[in-house]
Amino acid sequence: MLSIATLTMNPTLDVAFEIDRILPVHKMRGGNERHDPGGGGINVARVFVRLGGNARCCYLSGGAAGAALDWLVDLHQLVRNRIAIADETRVSTSIFERDSESEYRFVTDGPIISAAEWQECEAAVAEISCDYLVASGSLPQGVPKDFYARIGRLAKERGIRFVLDSSGAGLAHGLEGGGAFLVKPSIGELRALTGKQLQEEEAIIEAAEGIVRRGEAEHVAVTMGHDGAILTNGNGTTRLPALPVEAMSAVGAGDSFLAAMVHAFSAGREPVDALRFGMAAGAAAVLTPGTDLARADDIHRLYGDMSKHHSF
């Protein structure tokens, strides 16, 4: 099994709990409280390690929330490379309303990063030894829009496979660096990237294939929630339907998908098999409450169910 490193520029201290009903003004008491280290790259590392892989987390951290985040990263037994920042790490809150069985998610923009801080992070990433570098999550304020493109070029120069999962400017400018091994936009992120509605499957595939044709990524996996996922590369395009599962929480589904897909690639599996494994992890993630992520047993079970219905 190869090793990965993940980069989380805008991590979160994830808090989740349940209440009976959300009401304005009233003090509402909750239960089943959870605290987890969060943010795209950290979530990817958590699931990758659950699957038996080795992962190092590089992330920015500051303030009281940052100290709690560091403690939780250690609690989850993740190898970390922490870059200290002056501003406060953001807190993300997920609330499950029992009466309606609805989930409410709140997240802030996060800290403002100084030039010295993001440059220190860039230098740290340039020294990390790994086989795959996964840059996942949004870019915080103060970080250049082309930061992920810069990181991708550093990875390419060292023979490291670069994986990108971001949105907005992070995705658009990250692709400009070219040569990513894998990029994983959601359908919403792909629509924002292209500025098109992409209502028909053919339009979605055309947009994904365009990324491959332009040399921006070798593989493009588009996650579409209840509509499944699409994988395109130089050998063609595959679309698979979503697994029917009862959702407990949508938190971390995309990160779990990406972690399992990279895990499959690092184990030498074929791209379509990696897509299946990723979809199994995405479905496994929605089975877990609050800010928990996909569990290995659920991933393997759901992957086995997919294998019974779809030939390789």
Side-chain angles (χ1 to χ4, degrees), residues 36-104:
D36 287 298
I42 291 175
N43 287 342
V44 169
R46 286 170 59 190
V47 176
F48 195 86
V49 169
R50 287 181 180 184
L51 287 167
N54 299 312
R56 173 179 290 275
C57 301
C58 184
Y59 64 95
L60 307 182
S61 172
L69 174 67
D70 299 338
W71 182 82
L72 287 166
V73 167
D74 290 341
L75 184 67
H76 283 257
Q77 298 182 322
L78 299 175
V79 179
R80 63 178 169 98
N81 191 344
R82 171 187 179 269
I83 309 301
I85 59 173
D87 210 348
E88 188 85 18
T89 293
R90 62 182 179 163
V91 177
S92 173
T93 305
S94 175
I95 302 172
F96 181 77
E97 186 183 51
R98 299 187 187 102
D99 284 0
S100 66
E101 296 186 346
S102 297
E103 183 180 52
Y104 297 86

Side-chain angles (χ1 to χ4, degrees), residues 230-253:
I230 287 174
L231 174 67
T232 188
N233 52 39
N235 295 321
T237 297
T238 300
R239 181 185 183 281
L240 293 177
L243 281 162
V245 295
E246 184 175 350
M248 290 287 293
S249 170
V251 175

